[in-house]
Amino acid sequence: MPDLPLLSPRIRATDSPPIPVARTWAARYAGGAGPMIDLTQAVPGYSPHHDLLAKLAEAGGSRAAAGYGPIDGDTALREALAADAAAFYGAGIGAADVAITAGCNLAFSMTMAVIAAGGPGGVILPTPWYFNHRMALEMQGIPAIPLPCRAEDGFIPDPARLAPLLAAGARALVLVSPNNPTGAIYPPEVIEACAALCRRHGAWLVLDETYRDFLPAASTPPHRLFQDPAWRDGLVHLYSFSKAYCVPGHRVGAILAGPAFRAELMKALDTWQICAPRPAQAALAWAVPALATWRAGNRDLMAERAAGFRAVVAQLPGWRLDALGAYFAYLRVPEDGPDAMTVAECLAAERGLLGLPGPFFGPGQERHLRLAFANAGLEAIAQVPGRLADR
């Protein structure tokens, strides 16, 4: 037998996706504690709006949506998202600033290719980080530069710790707010201070606000970056339709950026996706303005689940809730017990509670566990203390 052809050393060096790894633990669960409670993945635990499902079915059966579309997305959806973002951030944002992508993970990968692939320097990721961001960088040979965030700070990045990393030549900073995995919501002044540091050092700020529709209702936007007339010169903004509209399987995301970045992005868009899924774009163009009230109701539903989760964790001696927001709770495991990897595997295999251990989210997370409560109703959340009690 001849030797197998070589495979990419970058891909081979990249860790396996965490969620499938965790689900192998659950395969050993015998069911003794009750039905499996899967809190691994950020999945909306409710159905899409029935009118959106009807629009998706109609568009999926149309001849028009079966053909190629514009490289940077259908005009109707770009206009709808631009209008929605302009109202949300209180700023001038137009369709020319928007590109539609086949999901937000691909949006991030293409953004990193445009900004940093093949060049000097690396990309700063606050830790704990979203593991797919780290994986996307590793696959492209882009160094990930950790920016440690501390539980005592609510896992909010410290601009003072950021400055020397930018001064050392980093190409970009990535911020995710509300954060995955911690749920932390970054204060406007922190986001704006980080943006100012990036400008000072000639680095890009990549701001992922996938979960912005689940921010607490407020009369002011979560930051004022879009109100700066020069935002297009240094900011790349990422958005996902998956969570707000409960359509993760349709893979639609977006990038907001200025013309210089977009000119290079078009090469990546044309090569890696040609166009985003057309039926979902057609349905979402209707949904963005039409389902605003429904989205607000889902925000309130997630807030109710977060409050329920906070209440049940308070019943557990030894466990500490270090951060909570959007879809996520970030728990510190008891100090007198095993580390988070051991706890997570035991919970899945023996207690039927499936979460993700902190080490999946980067260095320094050996005592933390992420539970994504968004896909669990209050009845399932009420069972969490019983599953955690003996761990």
Side-chain angles (χ1 to χ4, degrees):
M1 290 286 291
D3 292 337
L4 289 174
L6 295 177
L7 299 173
S8 164
R10 289 178 181 168
I11 299 293
R12 292 182 67 190
T14 301
D15 290 338
S16 297
I19 291 174
V21 169
R23 286 178 177 165
T24 65
W25 304 333
R28 309 201 309 266
Y29 178 54
M36 175 69 68
I37 301 174
D38 188 346
L39 304 182
T40 55
Q41 195 164 28
V43 179
Y46 46 85
S47 298
H49 192 280
H50 56 85
D51 289 339
L52 177 56
L53 288 173
K55 294 283 185 182
L56 285 165
E58 178 185 358
S62 72
R63 182 176 179 179
Y68 288 128
I71 294 169
D72 58 352
D74 290 359
T75 300
L77 182 54
R78 292 170 57 215
E79 290 177 342
L81 180 59
D84 184 72
F88 184 81
Y89 295 104
I93 299 170
D97 300 315
V98 178
I100 303 300
T101 66
C104 198
N105 270 13
L106 183 58
F108 179 83
S109 293
M110 291 189 292
T111 295
M112 292 300 104
V114 172
I115 287 174
V123 172
I124 301 168
L125 299 182
T127 57
W129 54 42
Y130 174 41
F131 48 75
N132 281 155
H133 285 175
R134 173 67 180 90
M135 293 167 71
L137 293 177
E138 187 160 24
M139 289 177 183
Q140 297 189 49
I142 302 168
I145 304 169
L147 173 61
C149 298
R150 304 181 303 181
E152 54 265 39
D153 299 328
F155 292 104
I156 305 297
D158 183 349
R161 295 184 173 201
L162 168 64
L165 301 180
L166 290 169
R171 299 289 288 272
L173 165 68
V174 177
L175 296 181
V176 182
S177 180
N179 186 255
N180 179 4
T182 67
I185 297 169
Y186 298 170
E189 59 270 18
V190 170
I191 296 174
E192 291 160 18
C194 290
L197 284 168
C198 287
R199 283 194 301 272
R200 187 179 310 161
H201 292 280
W204 290 91
L205 173 61
V206 178
L207 180 58
D208 183 335
E209 291 190 289
T210 290
Y211 299 95
R212 61 109 158 149
D213 296 280
F214 302 96
L215 286 164
S219 59
T220 57
H223 55 79
R224 296 170 293 183
L225 299 187
F226 287 114
Q227 296 174 19
D228 181 351
W231 74 263
R232 296 172 180 84
D233 297 333
L235 173 66
V236 178
H237 183 272
L238 307 182
Y239 179 73
S240 172
F241 295 89
S242 295
K243 317 303 180 185
Y245 299 92
C246 197
V247 289
H250 288 281
R251 308 310 305 141
V252 187
I255 299 173
L256 277 64
F261 178 91
R262 279 175 51 85
E264 306 308 318
L265 175 66
M266 291 292 282
K267 303 172 188 177
L269 292 168
D270 184 59
T271 301
W272 287 353
Q273 68 174 30
I274 301 181
C275 66
R278 307 265 340 270
Q281 289 189 72
L284 287 166
W286 165 84
V288 171
L291 297 183
T293 301
W294 180 78
R295 277 191 292 161
N298 293 334
R299 177 199 64 212
D300 295 340
L301 175 64
M302 288 300 103
E304 180 183 43
R305 292 183 182 179
F309 202 93
R310 184 183 296 278
V312 299
V313 172
Q315 305 170 23
L316 291 166
W319 291 81
R320 192 175 78 203
L321 183 60
D322 278 344
L324 179 98
Y327 277 28
F328 306 113
Y330 207 59
L331 291 161
R332 187 170 182 88
V333 302
E335 298 296 335
D336 58 355
D339 63 19
M341 287 293 290
T342 302
V343 168
E345 183 171 358
C346 289
L347 284 170
E350 300 174 12
R351 304 294 297 166
L353 179 65
L354 194 52
L356 295 182
F360 286 168
F361 302 99
Q365 306 305 308
E366 292 78 10
R367 304 301 304 175
H368 281 92
L369 182 71
R370 190 199 79 173
L371 298 179
F373 56 76
N375 61 338
L378 291 177
E379 283 189 18
I381 291 172
Q383 298 177 41
V384 169
R387 307 289 178 104
L388 294 177
D390 298 327
R391 293 296 108 202

